[in-house]
Amino acid sequence: MGLYHCEGIILRTRGFGEADRIVTLFTKEKGKIEAVARGARRPRNRLVGVTQQFSYLKALIFTGKSLDQISQAELIKSFAPLRDDLLKMAYATWWAEILDVFLPLNEVNSEVFLFLLAGLVVLEKVPDPMLVSRAFELRLLKYLGYEPVLDRCVSCQKAEGPFVGFAPTEGGLFCRSCAGAAGVNLIPVRPAALSFLRDLYQADLRELARRPVDPALGNELGQLLFTFIQLRAEKTLKSLSFLQSLMAWTPPEADLN
Ligand SMILES: [Zn+2]
C-alpha cells in the first residue's frame, strides 16, 4: 500500500460496478497504468469531469491490493475539442488504442508520453488530421519498436530499388526481384508516396498540420500503415474500423482544406 503522484493522459475509460470508472492512464512517471475512479459515474462526483477520455491530469494514486485507486485528481488540460468533434475523436481514439494495445503495463516511456501529448495538442487544432495522423502512426511504430523498413529491400537489403511494394508481414519494402521470388502479399506504393513517408519520420507535426492535405496520398499511406499496425496488433482494432467508416463517409468538400 502506498501513494504516488503522477501526470498522465487517459487512453480509455470503462464502467466498473455501479458508479465507478476504470481508467487506463498513460503516465509520464509509471508508464501505462489502470486505476479506478470511485464514484466517477455519479453526476456530482468530483472525479467526473477529470476522468474523461483524453483528459490530461495530475493525480494522486493510492496503490491497492488488486486495483490502484485515484485518490485526488486535477485537470491540466481537458482536450475537450477532441471529444466534441466526431472525426477528431475517432483519430484520438485510434491513437489511444494503438498505445493501449502495444504498451505493456507499468513500463516507463516518457518519450512516447511527450510525443502523445504533443500529438494531441496538434490534433486539437489541425483542420484535417489525415497527414498528421499518418506521421503520428509511423513515429509511434518507431518508438514502440515496430519501425517499418522504408530505406531498403527487407529481403536482400539493397537500397537501390526499384521497390514494387510494402509487405506488411515482413515489415518492409520489397524490390522487384525479391518480390517475384518470395511471393509475398504486397501493398503497392508509388515512389512519391514512399519518399513522403520517409520524410514523415523527421516531420514536425505542427509544421505538417499547416500543409495542404492530399487525400489520395493520405489514403495510400493509410492503407499501408493500417494494414501493418493491424497485423502487428494481433487483435481487431475497433477504433480503426470506426475511423475508416467515418473517413469513407466524410463528404468530399471536407477533404479540400
Ligand atoms: Zn530485394
Side-chain angles (χ1 to χ4, degrees):
M1 298 278 181
L3 281 170
Y4 65 88
H5 286 275
C6 63
E7 62 177 78
I9 296 163
I10 296 183
L11 298 180
R12 191 160 68 97
T13 70
R14 60 185 199 272
F16 182 65
E18 262 180 37
D20 302 342
R21 183 183 273 167
I22 290 185
V23 301
T24 304
L25 192 61
F26 184 24
T27 72
K28 196 157 100 180
E29 298 84 356
K30 301 256 174 187
K32 190 178 80 177
I33 63 161
E34 284 196 328
V36 61
R38 296 271 179 224
R41 277 154 64 226
R42 287 205 178 95
R44 295 161 72 102
N45 188 281
R46 65 199 158 80
L47 291 176
V48 175
V50 200
T51 56
Q52 298 202 53
Q53 199 182 15
F54 317 126
S55 289
Y56 174 29
L57 51 96
K58 228 183 225 180
L60 180 64
I61 312 255
F62 176 76
T63 54
K65 259 189 198 141
S66 53
L67 267 175
D68 286 2
Q69 190 178 323
I70 298 180
S71 169
Q72 290 170 31
E74 184 192 326
L75 205 56
I76 301 174
K77 188 167 168 54
S78 79
F79 284 114
L82 298 180
R83 292 187 298 271
D84 296 342
D85 177 319
L86 191 60
L87 186 65
K88 289 189 179 183
M89 189 189 70
Y91 273 106
T93 308
W94 160 235
W95 294 2
E97 191 174 14
I98 300 176
L99 287 166
D100 195 22
V101 166
F102 288 99
L103 285 175
L105 280 169
N106 307 310
E107 194 178 291
V108 183
N109 202 329
S110 47
E111 198 179 21
V112 179
F113 173 81
L114 293 172
F115 181 62
L116 172 65
L117 184 57
L120 293 177
V121 168
V122 173
L123 183 60
E124 206 178 41
K125 298 208 180 89
V126 66
D128 183 340
M130 189 185 249
L131 292 181
V132 168
S133 189
R134 290 306 90 84
F136 189 87
E137 291 147 15
L138 184 70
R139 298 264 283 281
L140 212 49
L141 284 170
K142 186 177 179 176
Y143 280 131
L144 297 169
Y146 296 101
E147 182 177 354
V149 176
L150 300 173
D151 59 349
R152 59 186 189 277
C153 169
V154 76
S155 175
C156 70
Q157 308 298 325
K158 285 183 190 150
E160 303 86 69
F163 303 108
V164 284
F166 179 84
T169 50
E170 314 303 312
L173 298 171
F174 262 71
C175 73
R176 200 177 300 279
S177 50
C178 292
V184 286
N185 282 328
L186 292 173
I187 296 173
V189 49
R190 290 173 302 135
L194 183 59
S195 92
F196 185 84
L197 195 59
R198 287 171 178 156
D199 287 345
L200 287 184
Y201 275 126
Q202 275 83 40
D204 181 318
L205 294 181
R206 286 164 304 179
E207 194 274 318
L208 193 63
R210 288 192 288 268
R211 281 198 234 167
V213 167
D214 174 351
L217 179 68
N219 281 324
E220 185 175 0
L221 302 183
Q223 204 203 345
L224 189 157
L225 289 164
F226 293 166
T227 311
F228 184 57
I229 293 169
Q230 179 63 79
L231 198 81
R232 285 286 176 270
E234 295 176 340
K235 64 174 265 193
T236 306
L237 300 170
K238 279 184 253 165
S239 61
L240 178 58
S241 31
F242 180 66
L243 177 65
Q244 283 177 308
S245 59
L246 211 55
M247 282 160 66
W249 173 86
T250 304
E253 306 90 80
D255 286 335
L256 291 176
N257 46 36

